[in-house]
Short mmCIF file of all heavy atoms in Angstrom, two decimals:
data_model
loop_
_atom_site.label_atom_id
_atom_site.label_comp_id
_atom_site.label_asym_id
_atom_site.label_seq_id
_atom_site.Cartn_x
_atom_site.Cartn_y
_atom_site.Cartn_z
N SER B 19 17.34 6.57 27.44
CA SER B 19 16.55 7.79 27.28
C SER B 19 15.21 7.57 27.97
O SER B 19 14.57 6.53 27.77
CB SER B 19 16.32 8.10 25.80
OG SER B 19 17.55 8.19 25.11
N ILE B 20 14.79 8.52 28.76
CA ILE B 20 13.52 8.40 29.49
C ILE B 20 12.69 9.65 29.26
O ILE B 20 13.16 10.77 29.48
CB ILE B 20 13.75 8.21 31.01
CG1 ILE B 20 14.59 6.97 31.27
CG2 ILE B 20 12.40 8.09 31.73
CD1 ILE B 20 14.99 6.78 32.72
N ILE B 21 11.47 9.46 28.80
CA ILE B 21 10.53 10.56 28.54
C ILE B 21 9.26 10.27 29.33
O ILE B 21 8.77 9.14 29.32
CB ILE B 21 10.22 10.69 27.04
CG1 ILE B 21 11.51 10.84 26.23
CG2 ILE B 21 9.29 11.88 26.79
CD1 ILE B 21 11.31 10.74 24.73
N ASN B 22 8.75 11.29 29.99
CA ASN B 22 7.61 11.12 30.88
C ASN B 22 6.38 11.88 30.41
O ASN B 22 6.50 12.96 29.84
CB ASN B 22 7.98 11.59 32.29
CG ASN B 22 9.16 10.84 32.85
OD1 ASN B 22 9.10 9.63 33.05
ND2 ASN B 22 10.25 11.55 33.10
N CYS B 23 5.22 11.31 30.69
CA CYS B 23 3.96 11.98 30.38
C CYS B 23 2.97 11.79 31.51
O CYS B 23 3.00 10.76 32.20
CB CYS B 23 3.37 11.45 29.07
SG CYS B 23 4.22 12.09 27.62
N ALA B 24 2.10 12.79 31.68
CA ALA B 24 1.06 12.73 32.69
C ALA B 24 -0.24 13.21 32.07
O ALA B 24 -0.24 14.07 31.21
CB ALA B 24 1.44 13.60 33.89
N TYR B 25 -1.33 12.61 32.51
CA TYR B 25 -2.63 12.98 31.98
C TYR B 25 -3.61 13.17 33.12
O TYR B 25 -3.35 12.77 34.26
CB TYR B 25 -3.14 11.92 31.00
CG TYR B 25 -3.41 10.57 31.65
CD1 TYR B 25 -4.70 10.19 32.02
CD2 TYR B 25 -2.36 9.69 31.87
CE1 TYR B 25 -4.94 8.96 32.60
CE2 TYR B 25 -2.60 8.44 32.46
CZ TYR B 25 -3.88 8.10 32.83
OH TYR B 25 -4.11 6.88 33.42
N GLU B 26 -4.76 13.78 32.82
CA GLU B 26 -5.76 14.04 33.84
C GLU B 26 -7.09 13.33 33.56
O GLU B 26 -7.81 12.96 34.47
CB GLU B 26 -6.00 15.54 33.97
CG GLU B 26 -4.77 16.33 34.40
CD GLU B 26 -5.01 17.82 34.41
OE1 GLU B 26 -6.11 18.26 34.00
OE2 GLU B 26 -4.10 18.57 34.81
N ASN B 27 -7.39 13.17 32.28
CA ASN B 27 -8.69 12.63 31.91
C ASN B 27 -8.75 11.14 32.18
O ASN B 27 -8.08 10.34 31.53
CB ASN B 27 -8.94 12.92 30.43
CG ASN B 27 -10.34 12.58 29.99
OD1 ASN B 27 -11.07 11.89 30.68
ND2 ASN B 27 -10.73 13.08 28.83
N THR B 28 -9.58 10.72 33.13
CA THR B 28 -9.66 9.30 33.48
C THR B 28 -10.36 8.48 32.40
O THR B 28 -10.37 7.25 32.47
CB THR B 28 -10.41 9.14 34.81
OG1 THR B 28 -11.69 9.79 34.73
CG2 THR B 28 -9.62 9.74 35.96
N ALA B 29 -10.93 9.13 31.41
CA ALA B 29 -11.54 8.40 30.30
C ALA B 29 -10.49 7.90 29.31
O ALA B 29 -10.78 7.08 28.45
CB ALA B 29 -12.56 9.28 29.58
N PHE B 30 -9.28 8.41 29.41
CA PHE B 30 -8.22 7.94 28.52
C PHE B 30 -7.91 6.48 28.81
O PHE B 30 -7.73 6.08 29.96
CB PHE B 30 -6.96 8.78 28.69
CG PHE B 30 -7.04 10.16 28.11
CD1 PHE B 30 -6.25 11.19 28.62
CD2 PHE B 30 -7.87 10.45 27.04
CE1 PHE B 30 -6.31 12.47 28.09
CE2 PHE B 30 -7.93 11.72 26.50
CZ PHE B 30 -7.16 12.74 27.03
N ASP B 31 -7.80 5.72 27.74
CA ASP B 31 -7.64 4.28 27.94
C ASP B 31 -6.69 3.65 26.93
O ASP B 31 -6.60 2.43 26.82
CB ASP B 31 -9.03 3.62 27.84
CG ASP B 31 -9.13 2.36 28.66
OD1 ASP B 31 -8.42 2.26 29.69
OD2 ASP B 31 -9.88 1.47 28.26
N TYR B 32 -6.05 4.49 26.16
CA TYR B 32 -5.12 4.00 25.13
C TYR B 32 -4.00 5.01 25.05
O TYR B 32 -4.26 6.22 24.91
CB TYR B 32 -5.87 3.88 23.79
CG TYR B 32 -4.99 3.61 22.59
CD1 TYR B 32 -4.33 2.40 22.43
CD2 TYR B 32 -4.83 4.59 21.61
CE1 TYR B 32 -3.53 2.17 21.32
CE2 TYR B 32 -4.03 4.36 20.50
CZ TYR B 32 -3.39 3.16 20.36
OH TYR B 32 -2.60 2.92 19.26
N PHE B 33 -2.75 4.53 25.17
CA PHE B 33 -1.61 5.44 25.33
C PHE B 33 -0.51 5.03 24.36
O PHE B 33 0.31 4.16 24.65
CB PHE B 33 -1.11 5.39 26.78
CG PHE B 33 -2.17 5.74 27.78
CD1 PHE B 33 -2.98 4.76 28.34
CD2 PHE B 33 -2.37 7.06 28.17
CE1 PHE B 33 -3.97 5.07 29.26
CE2 PHE B 33 -3.36 7.39 29.09
CZ PHE B 33 -4.16 6.39 29.63
N PRO B 34 -0.47 5.68 23.21
CA PRO B 34 0.59 5.38 22.25
C PRO B 34 1.74 6.38 22.33
O PRO B 34 1.58 7.50 22.83
CB PRO B 34 -0.14 5.53 20.91
CG PRO B 34 -1.14 6.61 21.17
CD PRO B 34 -1.53 6.48 22.64
N TRP B 35 2.87 5.96 21.83
CA TRP B 35 4.01 6.84 21.63
C TRP B 35 4.30 6.89 20.13
O TRP B 35 4.34 5.84 19.46
CB TRP B 35 5.25 6.32 22.37
CG TRP B 35 5.19 6.56 23.83
CD1 TRP B 35 4.65 5.73 24.78
CD2 TRP B 35 5.71 7.68 24.55
NE1 TRP B 35 4.80 6.28 26.03
CE2 TRP B 35 5.44 7.47 25.92
CE3 TRP B 35 6.39 8.85 24.17
CZ2 TRP B 35 5.81 8.39 26.91
CZ3 TRP B 35 6.75 9.75 25.16
CH2 TRP B 35 6.47 9.52 26.50
N TYR B 36 4.50 8.10 19.63
CA TYR B 36 4.82 8.29 18.23
C TYR B 36 6.22 8.87 18.10
O TYR B 36 6.68 9.65 18.93
CB TYR B 36 3.79 9.23 17.56
CG TYR B 36 2.52 8.54 17.16
CD1 TYR B 36 1.54 8.23 18.11
CD2 TYR B 36 2.29 8.16 15.84
CE1 TYR B 36 0.37 7.58 17.74
CE2 TYR B 36 1.13 7.52 15.47
CZ TYR B 36 0.17 7.23 16.42
OH TYR B 36 -0.98 6.58 16.05
N GLN B 37 6.87 8.49 17.01
CA GLN B 37 8.22 8.97 16.70
C GLN B 37 8.14 9.76 15.40
O GLN B 37 7.48 9.32 14.44
CB GLN B 37 9.15 7.76 16.52
CG GLN B 37 10.58 8.07 16.17
CD GLN B 37 11.35 6.78 15.84
OE1 GLN B 37 10.94 6.02 14.97
NE2 GLN B 37 12.44 6.53 16.55
N GLN B 38 8.76 10.92 15.38
CA GLN B 38 8.72 11.74 14.17
C GLN B 38 10.13 12.20 13.80
O GLN B 38 10.82 12.82 14.60
CB GLN B 38 7.81 12.96 14.39
CG GLN B 38 7.64 13.81 13.13
CD GLN B 38 6.72 15.01 13.35
OE1 GLN B 38 6.59 15.51 14.47
NE2 GLN B 38 6.07 15.46 12.29
N PHE B 39 10.50 11.92 12.55
CA PHE B 39 11.76 12.40 12.00
C PHE B 39 11.48 13.69 11.21
O PHE B 39 10.36 13.89 10.72
CB PHE B 39 12.40 11.35 11.11
CG PHE B 39 12.88 10.14 11.88
CD1 PHE B 39 12.16 8.95 11.84
CD2 PHE B 39 14.05 10.19 12.62
CE1 PHE B 39 12.59 7.84 12.56
CE2 PHE B 39 14.49 9.08 13.34
CZ PHE B 39 13.75 7.91 13.31
N PRO B 40 12.48 14.56 11.08
CA PRO B 40 12.28 15.82 10.37
C PRO B 40 11.73 15.60 8.97
O PRO B 40 12.19 14.74 8.22
CB PRO B 40 13.69 16.42 10.33
CG PRO B 40 14.38 15.85 11.51
CD PRO B 40 13.84 14.45 11.66
N GLY B 41 10.69 16.36 8.65
CA GLY B 41 10.09 16.30 7.33
C GLY B 41 9.16 15.12 7.11
O GLY B 41 8.68 14.91 5.99
N LYS B 42 8.91 14.36 8.15
CA LYS B 42 8.04 13.18 8.04
C LYS B 42 6.86 13.31 8.99
O LYS B 42 6.86 14.11 9.93
CB LYS B 42 8.82 11.91 8.41
CG LYS B 42 10.09 11.69 7.61
CD LYS B 42 9.80 11.33 6.18
CE LYS B 42 11.08 10.96 5.44
NZ LYS B 42 10.82 10.66 4.01
N GLY B 43 5.84 12.49 8.73
CA GLY B 43 4.73 12.42 9.66
C GLY B 43 5.08 11.53 10.84
O GLY B 43 5.97 10.68 10.75
N PRO B 44 4.38 11.70 11.96
CA PRO B 44 4.61 10.81 13.11
C PRO B 44 4.29 9.37 12.74
O PRO B 44 3.40 9.10 11.94
CB PRO B 44 3.64 11.34 14.16
CG PRO B 44 3.32 12.74 13.74
CD PRO B 44 3.37 12.73 12.24
N ALA B 45 4.99 8.45 13.38
CA ALA B 45 4.76 7.02 13.17
C ALA B 45 4.67 6.33 14.52
O ALA B 45 5.44 6.64 15.44
CB ALA B 45 5.89 6.41 12.33
N LEU B 46 3.72 5.41 14.64
CA LEU B 46 3.53 4.71 15.92
C LEU B 46 4.76 3.89 16.26
O LEU B 46 5.29 3.13 15.45
CB LEU B 46 2.31 3.80 15.84
CG LEU B 46 2.02 3.02 17.12
CD1 LEU B 46 1.56 3.97 18.22
CD2 LEU B 46 0.96 1.95 16.87
N LEU B 47 5.21 4.07 17.52
CA LEU B 47 6.38 3.34 18.01
C LEU B 47 5.94 2.16 18.88
O LEU B 47 6.34 1.03 18.67
CB LEU B 47 7.23 4.30 18.83
CG LEU B 47 8.61 3.87 19.27
CD1 LEU B 47 9.50 3.60 18.06
CD2 LEU B 47 9.23 4.96 20.15
N ILE B 48 5.10 2.43 19.83
CA ILE B 48 4.63 1.42 20.78
C ILE B 48 3.42 2.00 21.50
O ILE B 48 3.30 3.22 21.63
CB ILE B 48 5.76 1.06 21.78
CG1 ILE B 48 5.38 -0.09 22.71
CG2 ILE B 48 6.21 2.28 22.57
CD1 ILE B 48 6.54 -0.59 23.57
N ALA B 49 2.51 1.14 21.94
CA ALA B 49 1.31 1.62 22.63
C ALA B 49 0.95 0.67 23.76
O ALA B 49 1.33 -0.51 23.74
CB ALA B 49 0.14 1.74 21.65
N ILE B 50 0.20 1.19 24.73
CA ILE B 50 -0.17 0.39 25.89
C ILE B 50 -1.61 0.68 26.30
O ILE B 50 -2.11 1.80 26.09
CB ILE B 50 0.81 0.65 27.07
CG1 ILE B 50 0.71 -0.44 28.13
CG2 ILE B 50 0.57 2.03 27.68
CD1 ILE B 50 1.83 -0.39 29.17
N ARG B 51 -2.25 -0.31 26.85
CA ARG B 51 -3.54 -0.15 27.51
C ARG B 51 -3.31 -0.26 29.02
O ARG B 51 -2.37 -0.93 29.44
CB ARG B 51 -4.51 -1.25 27.05
CG ARG B 51 -4.92 -1.17 25.61
CD ARG B 51 -5.90 -0.05 25.39
NE ARG B 51 -6.37 -0.01 24.02
CZ ARG B 51 -7.48 -0.60 23.61
NH1 ARG B 51 -8.21 -1.29 24.46
NH2 ARG B 51 -7.84 -0.51 22.34
N PRO B 52 -4.17 0.34 29.83
CA PRO B 52 -3.89 0.37 31.27
C PRO B 52 -4.09 -0.96 32.00
O PRO B 52 -3.93 -1.00 33.22
CB PRO B 52 -4.87 1.44 31.78
CG PRO B 52 -5.93 1.54 30.77
CD PRO B 52 -5.30 1.18 29.46
N ASP B 53 -4.41 -2.02 31.29
CA ASP B 53 -4.55 -3.31 31.97
C ASP B 53 -3.19 -3.96 32.24
O ASP B 53 -3.11 -4.99 32.93
CB ASP B 53 -5.45 -4.25 31.17
CG ASP B 53 -5.02 -4.39 29.73
OD1 ASP B 53 -4.22 -3.55 29.25
OD2 ASP B 53 -5.49 -5.34 29.07
N VAL B 54 -2.12 -3.36 31.69
CA VAL B 54 -0.77 -3.83 32.00
C VAL B 54 0.07 -2.65 32.47
O VAL B 54 -0.21 -1.51 32.12
CB VAL B 54 -0.09 -4.51 30.79
CG1 VAL B 54 -0.82 -5.76 30.39
CG2 VAL B 54 0.01 -3.56 29.62
N SER B 55 1.09 -2.93 33.26
CA SER B 55 1.92 -1.85 33.80
C SER B 55 3.16 -1.61 32.96
O SER B 55 3.85 -0.60 33.14
CB SER B 55 2.31 -2.15 35.24
OG SER B 55 3.05 -3.35 35.30
N GLU B 56 3.47 -2.54 32.07
CA GLU B 56 4.67 -2.39 31.27
C GLU B 56 4.51 -3.16 29.97
O GLU B 56 3.91 -4.22 29.93
CB GLU B 56 5.88 -2.93 32.04
CG GLU B 56 7.22 -2.68 31.37
CD GLU B 56 8.39 -3.11 32.24
OE1 GLU B 56 8.72 -2.37 33.19
OE2 GLU B 56 8.96 -4.19 31.96
N LYS B 57 5.07 -2.57 28.91
CA LYS B 57 5.09 -3.25 27.62
C LYS B 57 6.43 -2.99 26.98
O LYS B 57 6.90 -1.85 26.95
CB LYS B 57 3.97 -2.76 26.72
CG LYS B 57 3.91 -3.47 25.38
CD LYS B 57 2.70 -3.02 24.59
CE LYS B 57 2.62 -3.75 23.27
NZ LYS B 57 1.42 -3.32 22.48
N LYS B 58 7.05 -4.06 26.47
CA LYS B 58 8.38 -3.93 25.89
C LYS B 58 8.37 -4.43 24.47
O LYS B 58 7.81 -5.48 24.15
CB LYS B 58 9.38 -4.76 26.73
CG LYS B 58 10.81 -4.66 26.28
CD LYS B 58 11.72 -5.43 27.22
CE LYS B 58 13.17 -5.32 26.78
NZ LYS B 58 14.09 -6.03 27.70
N GLU B 59 9.00 -3.65 23.59
CA GLU B 59 9.20 -4.06 22.20
C GLU B 59 10.62 -3.69 21.81
O GLU B 59 10.94 -2.53 21.59
CB GLU B 59 8.19 -3.39 21.27
CG GLU B 59 6.77 -3.89 21.45
CD GLU B 59 5.79 -3.29 20.46
OE1 GLU B 59 6.22 -2.49 19.61
OE2 GLU B 59 4.59 -3.61 20.57
N GLY B 60 11.47 -4.71 21.79
CA GLY B 60 12.88 -4.46 21.48
C GLY B 60 13.52 -3.57 22.52
O GLY B 60 13.46 -3.85 23.71
N ARG B 61 14.10 -2.46 22.09
CA ARG B 61 14.76 -1.55 23.01
C ARG B 61 13.79 -0.55 23.65
O ARG B 61 14.21 0.27 24.48
CB ARG B 61 15.87 -0.79 22.27
CG ARG B 61 17.00 -1.69 21.77
CD ARG B 61 18.12 -0.89 21.13
NE ARG B 61 17.70 -0.22 19.90
CZ ARG B 61 17.53 1.09 19.79
NH1 ARG B 61 17.73 1.89 20.84
NH2 ARG B 61 17.18 1.61 18.63
N PHE B 62 12.53 -0.57 23.25
CA PHE B 62 11.55 0.41 23.70
C PHE B 62 10.60 -0.22 24.73
O PHE B 62 10.06 -1.29 24.49
CB PHE B 62 10.75 0.95 22.51
CG PHE B 62 11.61 1.60 21.46
CD1 PHE B 62 12.11 0.86 20.39
CD2 PHE B 62 11.94 2.94 21.55
CE1 PHE B 62 12.92 1.46 19.43
CE2 PHE B 62 12.74 3.55 20.58
CZ PHE B 62 13.23 2.80 19.53
N THR B 63 10.41 0.48 25.84
CA THR B 63 9.53 0.01 26.91
C THR B 63 8.64 1.15 27.36
O THR B 63 9.10 2.27 27.56
CB THR B 63 10.35 -0.49 28.12
OG1 THR B 63 11.19 -1.58 27.72
CG2 THR B 63 9.42 -0.96 29.24
N ILE B 64 7.35 0.84 27.51
CA ILE B 64 6.42 1.79 28.14
C ILE B 64 6.17 1.29 29.55
O ILE B 64 5.83 0.11 29.75
CB ILE B 64 5.07 1.88 27.41
CG1 ILE B 64 5.22 2.35 25.98
CG2 ILE B 64 4.14 2.83 28.17
CD1 ILE B 64 3.88 2.43 25.24
N SER B 65 6.28 2.20 30.51
CA SER B 65 5.87 1.92 31.88
C SER B 65 4.63 2.75 32.18
O SER B 65 4.58 3.93 31.82
CB SER B 65 6.99 2.29 32.86
OG SER B 65 8.12 1.50 32.63
#
Side-chain angles (χ1 to χ4, degrees):
Chain B
S19 304
I20 302 174
I21 304 170
N22 301 297
C23 284
Y25 65 99
E26 298 175 356
N27 189 345
T28 55
F30 287 154
D31 208 29
Y32 170 69
F33 302 91
W35 284 88
Y36 279 78
Q37 179 187 56
Q38 185 179 26
F39 292 104
K42 305 290 187 182
L46 180 69
L47 190 61
I48 186 172
I50 197 169
R51 293 286 184 93
D53 52 344
V54 295
S55 61
E56 187 175 283
K57 182 175 181 179
K58 183 176 181 179
E59 290 184 1
R61 295 184 294 109
F62 301 92
T63 299
I64 299 180
S65 297

